[in-house]
């Protein structure tokens, strides 16, 4: 678990410019590259696996805007727990306060397990001018969060954030190319991390979960503290729903109130 300033692009990092360069199983995704990253031709890099789960940039930017308004302004740090090739981290770093110029977040931390994927994220963030505005962490996000909550002294100074002023954003994998958008998607079967695993790790803090568009709302509702209303938002590109985000408050404990505005 370590902070990294700049990782080199590897042979797993690609900027394909012709269809013939693209593996057959990725060609349909590559043909949507301008929907995913409108400025793809500026030099966006991706790993092969990233094509299956990257958040389209227009959605990432809208989520960043919504997160900024839904979450209390007392929250000043945001952690992207599955940074991938950077779309959500970039959107969060670009988000501004109501004045339109002040950064919404004092600190943006992006955690990614795979080094080539993180290298792509850093490169892509540099194209958007925010690479230096993000603290990049190479490692397992569950272990990072466990250290933050239980043994913060083991973390570097920049990573020891105040959990009371921190919100989590998670865009976990849904099962890779085998993911099937059923009529109602059972979040208990989501791989490799199901809803119980995710919420169990995040429940002590306000968090937003990026989930399949047909996710079972009844399963999400069971996570909500009694008497609390939450925002669950469908996000679309060109009129087609791509995903939903559930904005969940920290679990209430006796004598405490949630800090999430709903």
């Amino acid at each position: 678990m370590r902070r990294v300033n700049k990782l080199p692009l590897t042979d797993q990092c690609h900027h394909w410019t012709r269809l013939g360069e693209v593996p057959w199983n990725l060609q349909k995704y590559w043909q949507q590259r301008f929907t995913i990253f409108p400025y793809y031709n500026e030099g966006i890099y991706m790993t092969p696996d990233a094509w299956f789960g990257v958040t389209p940039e227009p959605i990432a930017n809208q989520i960043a805007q919504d997160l900024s308004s839904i979450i209390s302004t007392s929250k000043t740090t945001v952690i992207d727990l599955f940074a991938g090739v950077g779309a959500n981290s970039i959107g969060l770093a670009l988000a501004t306060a109501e004045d339109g110029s002040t950064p919404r977040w004092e600190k943006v931390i992006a955690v990614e397990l795979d080094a080539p994927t993180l290298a792509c994220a850093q490169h892509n963030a540099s194209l958007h001018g925010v690479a230096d505005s993000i603290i990049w962490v190479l490692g397992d996000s569950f272990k990072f969060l466990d250290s933050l909550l239980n043994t913060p002294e083991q973390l570097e100074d920049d990573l020891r954030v105040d959990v009371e002023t921190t919100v989590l954003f998670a865009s976990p994998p849904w099962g890779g190319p085998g993911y099937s958008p059923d009529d109602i998607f059972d979040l208990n079967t989501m791989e490799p991390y199901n809803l119980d695993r995710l919420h169990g790790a995040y429940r002590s803090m306000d968090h937003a979960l990026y989930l399949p568009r047909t996710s079972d709302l009844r399963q999400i509702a069971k996570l909500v503290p009694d008497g609390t209303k939450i925002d669950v938002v469908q996000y679309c590109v060109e009129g087609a729903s791509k995903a939903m985000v559930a904005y969940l408050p920290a679990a209430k404990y006796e004598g405490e109130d949630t800090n999430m505005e709903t």
Side-chain angles (χ1 to χ4, degrees), residues 14-164:
H14 303 279
H15 174 75
W16 290 311
T17 58
R18 295 180 295 105
L19 184 63
E21 300 174 316
V22 184
W24 68 268
N25 62 322
L26 299 177
Q27 289 184 359
K28 71 174 183 179
Y29 301 101
W30 181 82
Q31 289 173 325
Q32 302 172 47
R33 62 197 181 281
F34 297 118
T35 299
I36 298 171
F37 278 108
Y39 300 104
Y40 179 85
N41 281 353
E42 297 298 317
I44 294 293
Y45 271 76
M46 305 270 284
T47 58
D49 285 348
W51 287 97
F52 297 120
V54 63
T55 304
E57 183 178 331
I59 290 180
N61 290 339
Q62 185 61 52
I63 290 172
Q65 180 179 329
D66 291 345
L67 188 69
S68 296
S69 59
I70 291 172
I71 297 295
S72 168
T73 54
S74 66
K75 307 295 182 180
T76 56
T77 295
V78 61
I79 303 175
D80 182 0
L81 294 162
F82 296 91
V85 293
N88 290 302
S89 299
I90 292 167
L92 293 167
L94 290 170
T96 59
E98 290 184 357
D99 63 11
S101 59
T102 304
R104 167 61 179 86
W105 305 102
E106 294 179 7
K107 185 175 288 188
V108 177
I109 298 175
V111 186
E112 173 54 46
L113 181 61
D114 181 67
T117 302
L118 188 60
C120 290
Q122 292 176 322
H123 171 82
N124 296 337
S126 70
L127 297 179
H128 289 77
V130 294
D132 294 335
S133 301
I134 301 169
I135 296 174
W136 305 97
V137 178
L138 179 63
D140 182 287
S141 62
F142 291 100
K143 293 179 180 178
F144 171 75
L145 192 57
D146 181 66
S147 294
L148 179 62
L149 294 173
N150 298 306
T151 55
E153 68 277 2
Q154 296 182 1
L155 297 173
E156 299 174 50
D157 289 346
D158 280 350
L159 303 180
R160 296 179 199 164
V161 298
D162 180 2
V163 298
E164 295 297 324

Side-chain angles (χ1 to χ4, degrees), residues 236-250:
C236 303
V237 173
E238 298 178 352
S241 177
K242 296 296 183 181
M244 70 166 63
V245 174
Y247 296 88
L248 294 159

Side-chain angles (χ1 to χ4, degrees), residues 172-174 179-182 185 187 190 209-216 220 234 241-245:
W174 299 340
Y179 156 70
S180 176
D182 299 328
F185 185 82
L187 293 168
M190 188 165 62
L209 298 178
Y210 184 88
L211 300 168
R213 59 183 175 81
T214 57
S215 296
D216 191 335
I220 297 172
Q234 288 276 354
S241 177
K242 296 296 183 181
M244 70 166 63
V245 174

